[in-house]
Amino acid sequence: MGSALRILLTLALVLAIGLSACGRRGSLERPKPNYPETKADPSTKMSTVPARKLWIDKLLGAP
């Protein structure tokens, strides 16, 4: 009986500590940036890079 009580008390302690750590404190809103935000410029495109051959291409039969 003593060991069962010890197990129950340990389980209750672990659950109490675990549940107290759940949740997020504070606001869920997005924080304000420390720098001014700028709009994206659609005229700047991502640069293209040459295709690289990988070792797995040979196994997959890719051209």
Side-chain angles (χ1 to χ4, degrees), residues 3-33:
S3 63
L5 183 61
R6 219 180 268 162
I7 291 172
L8 286 175
L9 285 175
T10 304
L11 183 62
L13 181 64
V14 167
L15 284 175
I17 291 172
L19 289 176
S20 68
C22 289
R24 184 180 189 282
R25 292 185 182 178
S27 174
L28 295 178
E29 298 297 321
R30 180 179 177 199
K32 302 245 184 244

Side-chain angles (χ1 to χ4, degrees), residues 22-51:
C22 289
R24 184 180 189 282
R25 292 185 182 178
S27 174
L28 295 178
E29 298 297 321
R30 180 179 177 199
K32 302 245 184 244
N34 294 334
Y35 52 88
E37 289 188 14
T38 59
K39 298 288 183 191
D41 185 10
S43 66
T44 58
K45 304 275 184 187
M46 290 180 60
S47 61
T48 58
V49 295

Side-chain angles (χ1 to χ4, degrees), residues 50-61:
R52 295 186 338 188
K53 298 284 185 184
L54 300 175
W55 61 271
I56 199 164
D57 290 336
K58 294 176 187 174
L59 295 176
L60 297 175

